[in-house]
């Protein structure tokens, strides 16, 4: 019965493992964008910026309010009918409706609205930047897992070869063609292969935990990844436009330029600072506002049967008013001058930051393209080296079986072949990462085929 339970458990586990869908790098990225906490924080910040934009729009609308008041007077008070003093208890009820509208405020509201709109654009750029950064982190972690999976597979193949070689060496030692030193040397190589497999498995487990953390994936759940490279990764060699002045689209210049999230953030931050500067200068101008309202009252002497009814007093005591207020700033202890100066400096600092980011972006884009091309060339060279090392290993092993080489020579060629395979895998994976960076700097979203909006950031002239 126990054996049956164990067998059923193994069958269930095997069926679950086979039925589990392998995750591609695109699926891992999309999962991370839905569960990453920093992405959610960026979404909430964007919602706050949108709320500020609505508030800026509301400043152009009139301010309307209604007031209702009730008052009991005991003892000496002023009679509303005669404006004389009285000692009787009275009840007083007042109603008011007022509205006010600023007509001119030095265009302060207009610049506040433009600043709020730029803040919304900055929030969207920050959200996209956080999504891009999360996707890049997941991509790097995914490639690390793929790299260590490849190393684990190589280590397993190395153990299989070492075990086969050990059996052959022992047989050759029995017939007198190999000595005890050769057997000990091959046993040492097998132990080294076992150690390397254990080490690579531990590194693979750590890389998988890092990928789950970047994705926001449950740590205790299993995650099976699909291979990210085919035997002939031709997609790595698909041409892309060259950044800079070499050809194709440019990251900086006078034409249409795809700009990364960081540059977009700084661009809109510069626009926010610019409008805040103009908003601060609006304090030098006079302001004009209009107001209008209605008010009425109801008065009744307590413990008295005489008095006009409520509806008559409400109608007869009705009053209207219209007012205009002109405020001219004369002197406020130099506060306006200091505020304008600070706002102007903030704008100039934001402008310098944006110009510096444009230069950095051009450099990073060109570096990513050069690294991509470099890794493609290194991958081609390492492919030829793996082929040559494989032939050398096969020849050395045949010579070892014939007694023409030692176990040390075989170990040297085997280690060289394993190192070449690991370097080839690393070059191909890094080529994938660098190509995604090139796509990112050229305005594409690396987790889908969508292309980010392109624009020509017009830098205002220095004022």
């Amino acid at each position: 019965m126990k054996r049956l339970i164990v067998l059923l458990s193994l069958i269930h586990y095997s069926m679950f493992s086979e039925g589990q869908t392998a995750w591609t790098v695109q699926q891992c990225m999309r999962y991370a964008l839905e569960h990453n906490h920093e992405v959610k924080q960026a979404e909430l910040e964007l919602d706050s910026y949108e709320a500020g934009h609505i508030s800026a729009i509301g400043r152009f609308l009139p301010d309307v309010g209604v007031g209702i008041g009730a008052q009991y007077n005991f003892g000496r008070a002023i009679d509303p009918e005669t404006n004389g003093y009285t000692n009787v208890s009275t009840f007083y009820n007042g109603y008011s409706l007022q509205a006010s509208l600023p007509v001119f405020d030095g265009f302060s509201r207009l610049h506040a609205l433009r600043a709020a709109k730029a803040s919304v654009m900055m929030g969207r750029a920050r959200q996209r930047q956080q999504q891009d950064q999360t996707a890049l982190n997941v991509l790097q972690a995914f490639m690390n897992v793929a790299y260590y999976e490849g190393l684990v597979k190589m280590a397993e193949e190395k153990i299989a070869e070492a075990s086969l070689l050990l059996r052959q060496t022992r047989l050759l030692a029995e017939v007198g063609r190999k000595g005890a030193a050769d057997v000990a040397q091959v046993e040492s190589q097998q132990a080294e292969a076992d150690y390397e497999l254990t080490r690579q498995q531990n590194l693979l487990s750590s890389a998988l935990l890092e990928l789950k953390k970047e994705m926001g994936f449950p740590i205790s759940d299993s995650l099976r990844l699909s291979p990210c490279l085919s035997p002939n990764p031709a997609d790595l060699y698909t041409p892309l436009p060259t950044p800079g002045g070499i050809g194709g689209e440019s990251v900086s210049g006078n034409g249409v330029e795809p700009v990364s999230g960081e540059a977009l953030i700084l661009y809109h931050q510069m626009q926010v600072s610019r409008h805040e500067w103009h908003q601060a200068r609006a304090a030098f101008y006079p302001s004009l506002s209009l107001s209008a309202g209605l008010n009425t009252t109801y008065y009744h002497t307590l413990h008295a049967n005489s008095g006009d009814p409520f509806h008559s007093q409400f109608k007869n005591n009705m009053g209207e008013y219209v007012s205009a207020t002109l405020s001219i700033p004369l002197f406020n202890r130099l506060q306006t001058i200091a505020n304008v100066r600070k706002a102007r400096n903030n704008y100039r600092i934001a402008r310098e930051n944006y110009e510096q980011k444009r230069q950095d972006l051009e450099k990073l884009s060109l570096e990513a393209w050069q690294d991509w091309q470099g890794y493609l060339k290194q991958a081609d060279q390492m492919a030829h080296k793996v082929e040559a090392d494989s032939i050398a290993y096969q020849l050395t092993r045949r010579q070892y079986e014939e007694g023409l080489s030692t176990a040390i020579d075989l170990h040297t060629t085997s280690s060289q072949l394993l190192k070449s395979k690991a370097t080839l895998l690393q070059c191909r994976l890094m080529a994938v990462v660098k190509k995604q960076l090139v796509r990112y700097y050229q305005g594409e979203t690396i987790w889908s085929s969508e292309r980010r909006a392109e624009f020509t950031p017009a830098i205002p002239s220095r004022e």
Side-chain angles (χ1 to χ4, degrees):
M1 189 64 182
K2 292 182 179 179
R3 293 181 180 179
L4 180 60
I5 294 175
V6 173
L7 181 60
L8 292 176
S9 301
L10 292 175
I11 293 176
H12 179 268
Y13 177 78
S14 177
M15 293 177 60
F16 174 78
S17 300
E18 293 178 358
Q20 185 184 14
T21 305
W23 288 60
T24 64
V25 63
Q26 299 293 335
Q27 291 174 336
C28 292
M29 290 179 182
R30 295 190 184 98
Y31 183 92
L33 295 182
E34 295 177 358
H35 298 82
N36 185 269
H37 298 289
E38 295 180 351
V39 173
K40 293 181 179 179
Q41 292 176 7
E43 294 176 355
L44 295 176
E45 290 180 359
L46 175 59
D47 186 71
S48 298
Y49 288 131
E50 291 176 347
H53 185 221
I54 295 176
S55 177
I57 295 176
R59 293 181 60 183
F60 288 88
L61 303 177
D63 185 9
V64 181
V66 176
I68 301 176
Q71 179 180 347
Y72 282 97
N73 295 325
F74 303 94
R76 189 172 179 83
I78 297 177
D79 189 345
E81 295 182 357
T82 62
N83 283 334
Y85 287 99
T86 180
N87 291 323
V88 297
S89 299
T90 58
F91 170 75
Y92 177 82
N93 191 200
Y95 301 89
S96 64
L97 173 65
Q98 60 276 350
S100 61
L101 176 67
V103 179
F104 179 76
D105 57 356
F107 305 104
S108 175
R109 291 173 298 161
L110 178 61
H111 290 294
L113 177 61
R114 292 177 178 177
K117 184 177 180 181
S119 297
V120 172
M121 300 301 295
M122 182 181 64
R124 292 175 181 174
R126 185 167 296 169
Q127 179 187 14
R128 177 56 62 89
Q129 169 62 18
Q130 189 58 55
Q131 291 175 343
D132 292 339
Q133 188 61 47
T134 301
L136 289 174
N137 294 339
V138 171
L139 173 64
Q140 185 64 51
F142 188 96
M143 294 305 164
N144 289 337
V145 173
Y147 175 68
Y148 288 117
E149 283 183 347
L151 294 184
V152 168
K153 185 177 180 181
M154 295 177 192
E156 292 174 349
E157 295 176 354
K158 179 66 177 178
I159 290 178
E161 293 179 0
S163 300
L164 179 60
L165 181 63
L166 180 59
R167 288 196 299 267
Q168 293 177 351
T169 304
R170 287 174 176 173
L171 291 176
L172 293 175
E174 292 176 359
V175 299
R177 296 181 58 183
K178 295 293 181 182
D182 294 325
V183 175
Q185 183 67 32
V186 176
E187 289 178 349
S188 174
Q189 294 177 12
Q190 186 183 28
E192 181 182 358
D194 292 335
Y195 161 77
E196 186 65 22
L197 175 60
T198 303
R199 190 175 73 90
Q200 298 300 336
Q201 287 176 343
N202 292 334
L203 294 176
L204 174 60
S205 300
S206 299
L208 190 58
L209 288 177
E210 182 65 22
L211 175 60
K212 290 180 179 180
K213 182 184 76 68
E214 295 292 343
M215 292 174 56
F217 193 84
I219 301 297
S220 58
D221 293 352
S222 60
L223 179 63
R224 188 165 65 91
L225 306 180
S226 63
C228 59
L229 289 176
S230 59
N232 296 317
D235 57 334
L236 293 179
Y237 299 87
T238 305
L240 292 176
T242 306
I246 301 176
E249 296 178 347
S250 175
V251 176
S252 66
N254 297 324
V256 175
E257 42 185 282
V259 183
S260 70
E262 293 184 44
L264 281 173
I265 292 173
L266 294 178
Y267 173 77
H268 293 300
Q269 178 62 49
M270 179 183 64
Q271 298 299 323
V272 171
S273 301
R274 180 169 177 262
H275 292 300
E276 289 178 349
W277 173 30
H278 291 293
Q279 186 179 1
R281 293 195 305 184
F284 287 112
Y285 297 94
S287 60
L288 176 64
S289 62
L290 297 178
S291 300
L294 301 173
N295 56 71
T296 185
T297 60
Y298 169 72
Y299 173 81
H300 178 69
T301 301
L302 298 180
H303 310 293
N305 296 326
S306 62
D308 295 335
F310 175 82
H311 64 276
S312 299
Q313 293 191 35
F314 189 88
K315 181 179 179 181
N316 296 332
N317 297 337
M318 180 73 68
E320 301 88 9
Y321 70 92
V322 176
S323 65
T325 304
L326 178 64
S327 177
I328 302 176
L330 295 179
F331 181 74
N332 63 346
R333 295 175 294 181
L334 305 179
Q335 295 300 313
T336 301
I337 296 177
N339 293 335
V340 171
R341 187 173 179 179
K342 292 178 182 179
R344 181 186 59 187
N345 291 335
N346 291 336
Y347 164 68
R348 291 178 176 178
I349 292 173
R351 191 179 190 280
E352 294 297 332
N353 290 336
Y354 174 66
E355 290 182 345
Q356 180 182 3
K357 179 57 64 175
R358 282 166 54 93
Q359 295 177 357
D360 295 342
L361 183 61
E362 182 177 2
K363 172 179 174 293
L364 293 175
S365 178
L366 187 57
E367 282 183 352
W369 190 86
Q370 291 176 348
D371 291 341
W372 173 46
Q373 296 297 318
Y375 279 115
L376 290 181
K377 294 179 181 179
Q378 294 177 27
D380 293 338
Q381 296 168 356
M382 290 307 303
H384 294 296
K385 189 175 186 302
V386 167
E387 183 179 357
D389 290 340
S390 178
I391 296 175
Y393 171 73
Q394 297 296 332
L395 293 177
T396 304
R397 180 166 182 173
R398 182 174 299 177
Q399 292 176 357
Y400 174 78
E401 295 173 355
E402 296 175 357
L404 300 178
S405 62
T406 64
I408 296 178
D409 297 331
L410 184 61
H411 178 263
T412 301
T413 55
S414 176
S415 300
Q416 188 65 32
L417 176 59
L418 183 62
K419 182 179 178 181
S420 299
K421 288 183 178 179
T423 305
L424 174 60
L425 177 61
Q426 183 182 23
C427 291
R428 287 179 174 176
L429 293 176
M430 289 303 299
V432 173
V433 175
K434 295 302 180 180
K435 184 177 181 180
Q436 297 301 323
L437 281 177
V438 172
R439 290 181 55 216
Y440 163 70
Y441 287 125
Q442 291 184 352
E444 299 182 14
T445 52
I446 62 177
W447 66 86
S448 66
S449 59
E450 177 187 356
R451 187 172 182 83
R452 290 197 300 267
E454 299 178 356
F455 76 108
T456 305
I459 302 180
S461 60
R462 298 180 181 272
E463 301 182 50

